[in-house]
Amino acid sequence: MPEVSEVTRALKPTWCPGCGNFNMQKALSEVLSESGMRFEEYVMVWGIGCHGNGADFYRSQGFHGLHGRALPVATGIALTNPQLKVIVEMGDGDGYGIGGNHFIHSVRRNVNMTAIFHNNQIYGLTTGQASPTSDQFMKTPSTPGGVVEEPVNPVGVAVAQGATFVARGFAGDVPHLKELYEQALAHEGFAIVDVFQPCVTWNKINTFKWYRERAYKLEETPDYDPTSRTKAFELSMSTFHDLTCAPEECRIPIGVFYREEKSFTYQDGLPQLDRPLWQHAQQPRDIRSILEKF
Amino acid sequence: MIHAAQGEFPRVVMAPGDREDAFVLAWKAFNLADQLQTPVVILGDSYLSDNRESIPYYDLDAVTVERGKFVAEGDIADHPEALGADGQYFRYKLTEDGVSVRALPGVSGATQLVNSYEHDEYGWGSAGEMATVRSAQDEKRMRKMELARTLVPPPALFGVPPEAADVSLLVFGTTKGPALEAIRWLEPEGVRVAMMQVVTVWPFPAEEVLSFLDAAKTTVIVEGNLTGQLQGLVRQHCLRDVDHTLHRYDGRPFSPEQIYAKLTEVIAGA
């Protein structure tokens, strides 16, 4: 089992002191270490943003690609070698805005991989502009009069689009986050973990304190049934609340919203994935029989 | 295709003239992309992809799969040329030809960071911000163009040699078909035409094009664009111009009649 110190890199991250990304890295690197997976068994893919700088802070088989395009790259990796565990990290702007289209279609495809979203409801790397998950009427440098539109409801979109595992974590609760990561990594299908990860520098509204006062765990909610899609969808509507809502007015559920144990994954639909794709392409294929038809 | 970039990077651009070109260049493009580990573009057009033609069988025996410096399985330690001094696998190791050993995820010991930021030999983006690292990686990548020159398909020659021709024609892409037809029509009239098809547009085959043009009596470029893109490359890389040009840019392919008329006019004026 690789030590946590081997999974991460001995380099001081460029994140601001107190950034939620530190706890997310702590949770994920501990889970990776405890999973006992060898380095050649998993691949990590990052988008662009503060989270994406994490590419430099892990030691793994990694791919740090273009803004919003982590999911297509990860899908490619997952579909070229079914033996690899694929873990994607994206941000809220990266994953729900720039890569929003990829998000919807990755959910629809149910590609067997884990997608983690660093959701700080702001563009942190570029100094605090409104992101797709910024609450309506929030004032930012790019929205001095307040955000006009409603935020994206990632949990709701995923559940509505047929996702097979949807969870939401909070970077202020590492043990809980680790449980979510473990379940997501064990899930057969597209596993989504949206993580509230306060940006201590640019988001002065959705702070650690703000979440602590509002978050409650679904695991501790009596009778919550994570196999009910309609219930999960209903809960996801907590995304839409007044910007200045009091803690008792906007309760924010965290935990596993929805899970479907047995689902048909994209990989299940591709018989050629009985082996890595490179093994198919070592010799030119004889296409004469196909040409004869013409 | 040649200049579109976020910063400079090496690439190959090839323009098939007909279906057989397209078939051959397609498998060659895959091989080149693996051998050079850089994007290879096939410059097609609607004329090539949207019409039908009966053709003889492609030469399937000629097809090969060349993966270049590629490790798909096993342990990277068995490939010392891929490792740095401390035994660490370097995805972007500085090499003479600019190409480093590419190990697929799943190969033991081959942890790596594939990075769209500038990076060091391992792939770390933070290290790529150093000026010396940035320059070294940039130069390494661009060395692939020298290797590309030795691997890409050369220009194709048709008709009589330029020395023996009344007029010599330079084309690229699907202009090849109507141009060859026009040449056939001119044959019974005793007009001798040489034609060079620039197959690999980038890296531009300056040497071959220059000797073709220098050997020719009268030179014509026929190309399907407004601004003279091929002519521009000739001027830039061969440091000379051609005598006549024919452009078509109304969204339709050249007709043989058009090229026939132009060549007839050029010969009458010569």
Side-chain angles (χ1 to χ4, degrees):
Chain A
M1 158 174 136
E3 296 297 321
V4 173
S5 60
E6 291 176 278
V7 175
T8 54
R9 191 176 166 218
L11 182 79
K12 194 180 168 202
T14 48
W15 298 319
C16 306
C19 174
N21 282 336
F22 284 101
N23 278 354
M24 287 184 69
Q25 188 186 28
K26 179 175 162 59
L28 185 58
S29 54
E30 285 180 14
V31 167
L32 286 173
S33 166
E34 287 157 18
S35 76
M37 278 196 292
R38 287 176 287 117
F39 286 114
E40 53 268 31
E41 290 179 305
Y42 65 96
V43 180
M44 295 180 69
V45 182
W46 289 270
I48 299 295
C50 284
H51 81 277
N53 290 343
D56 257 35
F57 315 141
Y58 284 90
R59 193 174 280 279
S60 70
Q61 300 181 121
F63 196 113
H64 193 189
L66 300 178
H67 201 10
R69 315 298 163 206
L71 285 173
V73 167
T75 301
I77 295 168
L79 297 186
T80 46
N81 189 344
Q83 291 153 7
L84 294 168
K85 175 68 76 181
V86 180
I87 303 161
V88 189
E89 291 213 283
M90 282 163 289
D92 45 322
D94 184 61
Y96 302 140
I98 298 91
N101 185 16
H102 300 305
F103 173 59
I104 290 169
H105 294 286
S106 300
V107 172
R108 202 165 68 83
R109 292 186 182 113
N110 198 27
V111 181
N112 189 6
M113 59 188 188
T114 296
I116 296 166
F117 293 84
H118 295 236
N119 186 355
N120 57 15
Q121 302 180 258
I122 207 88
Y123 282 110
L125 187 70
T126 55
T127 68
Q129 298 83 352
S131 89
T133 52
S134 296
D135 287 328
Q136 195 176 28
F137 306 131
M138 183 178 183
K139 288 187 178 179
T140 74
S142 62
T143 56
V147 173
V148 178
E149 63 268 53
E150 292 274 17
V152 168
N153 173 5
V155 169
V157 169
V159 167
Q161 194 52 65
T164 57
F165 183 97
V166 188
R168 174 171 265 165
F170 169 44
D173 189 340
V174 172
H176 180 245
L177 192 55
K178 280 179 68 178
E179 283 169 30
L180 298 179
Y181 284 168
E182 278 162 12
Q183 293 177 64
L185 283 168
H187 178 69
E188 293 284 324
F190 190 59
I192 297 158
V193 188
D194 179 73
V195 184
F196 284 129
Q197 168 259 314
C199 173
V200 294
T201 302
W202 300 108
N203 191 335
K204 301 300 185 194
I205 295 178
N206 310 106
T207 59
F208 277 101
K209 182 168 176 284
W210 194 89
Y211 284 112
R212 278 192 217 292
E213 288 170 351
R214 290 165 177 79
Y216 69 97
K217 287 178 193 160
L218 291 173
E219 291 80 359
E220 294 166 4
T221 305
D223 304 330
Y224 184 70
D225 176 12
T227 62
S228 163
R229 199 176 283 281
T230 45
K231 184 67 190 157
F233 188 76
E234 198 186 324
L235 271 185
S236 77
M237 288 299 144
S238 58
T239 300
F240 306 108
H241 54 73
D242 286 344
L243 182 65
T244 52
C245 64
E248 61 281 4
E249 287 169 348
C250 52
R251 307 292 295 151
I252 295 179
I254 59 173
V256 178
F257 278 68
Y258 182 75
R259 67 172 346 135
E260 197 178 315
E261 291 301 344
K262 289 270 172 235
S263 64
F264 187 74
T265 68
Y266 203 78
Q267 283 92 332
D268 287 337
L270 301 173
Q272 60 270 47
L273 286 185
D274 57 343
R275 59 193 193 277
L277 282 193
W278 65 267
Q279 290 179 5
H280 289 266
Q282 298 180 89
Q283 292 299 324
R285 198 173 298 174
D286 194 346
I287 58 168
R288 281 182 185 84
S289 62
I290 299 168
L291 291 177
E292 310 243 311
K293 289 183 198 154
F294 301 97
Chain B
M1 297 292 169
I2 293 169
H3 299 293
Q6 302 77 32
E8 299 170 312
F9 66 87
R11 77 199 72 186
V12 173
V13 181
M14 302 191 292
D18 53 28
R19 252 143 297 271
E20 191 176 357
D21 279 2
F23 177 80
V24 172
L25 294 184
W27 64 259
K28 285 192 175 171
F30 279 105
N31 284 347
L32 285 167
D34 264 342
Q35 289 170 304
L36 298 166
Q37 295 177 12
T38 209
V40 178
V41 180
I42 296 178
L43 199 56
D45 60 24
S46 192
Y47 183 40
L48 178 70
S49 54
D50 285 354
N51 70 56
R52 293 169 186 220
E53 181 187 9
S54 292
I55 44 149
Y57 267 124
Y58 297 130
D59 181 7
L60 297 176
D61 295 324
V63 180
T64 58
V65 173
E66 311 284 348
R67 303 301 309 257
K69 298 180 184 177
F70 179 68
V71 178
E73 60 186 333
D75 195 322
I76 199 66
D78 298 332
H79 302 271
E81 74 280 10
L83 310 177
D86 57 353
Q88 170 68 53
Y89 169 58
F90 278 160
R91 173 67 189 91
Y92 304 106
K93 189 175 174 181
L94 298 173
T95 57
E96 211 166 298
D97 63 6
V99 184
S100 325
V101 174
R102 174 176 168 232
L104 292 188
V107 172
S108 291
T111 55
Q112 57 187 290
L113 182 58
V114 177
N115 208 326
S116 63
Y117 283 130
E118 189 56 274
H119 47 71
D120 66 359
E121 288 181 284
Y122 178 91
W124 298 127
S126 51
E129 287 174 13
M130 283 170 64
T132 48
V133 172
R134 154 84 202 189
S135 308
Q137 286 291 329
D138 220 3
E139 288 161 11
K140 165 207 181 291
R141 281 191 291 274
M142 212 44 93
R143 283 201 287 275
K144 294 177 184 180
M145 287 311 280
E146 288 312 309
L147 179 61
R149 278 175 215 284
T150 67
L151 298 173
V152 296
L157 290 163
F158 301 91
V160 299
E163 297 83 355
D166 302 307
V167 58
S168 295
L169 202 55
L170 191 65
V171 301
F172 78 101
T174 51
T175 305
K176 176 186 182 180
L180 285 176
E181 185 68 8
I183 293 170
R184 266 192 290 277
W185 292 355
L186 286 161
E187 235 168 79
E189 297 174 21
V191 179
R192 292 157 301 165
V193 185
M195 182 172 105
M196 175 181 265
Q197 175 204 0
V198 178
V199 177
T200 302
V201 180
W202 196 260
F204 188 71
E207 224 167 275
E208 290 95 329
V209 172
L210 184 61
S211 18
F212 177 80
L213 296 177
D214 282 351
K217 279 199 214 57
T218 308
T219 54
V220 187
I221 283 183
V222 180
E223 57 180 318
N225 57 64
L226 171 64
T227 57
Q229 297 170 23
L230 179 59
Q231 186 186 14
L233 288 171
V234 169
R235 284 173 169 169
Q236 190 182 353
H237 296 276
C238 301
L239 304 179
R240 60 157 290 170
D241 209 345
V242 291
D243 305 318
H244 305 274
T245 59
L246 176 64
H247 300 270
R248 182 163 189 171
Y249 42 89
D250 57 359
R252 287 146 183 84
F254 280 103
S255 65
E257 286 83 356
Q258 240 185 319
I259 299 175
Y260 173 86
K262 178 70 182 183
L263 294 181
T264 308
E265 175 199 314
V266 164
I267 289 154

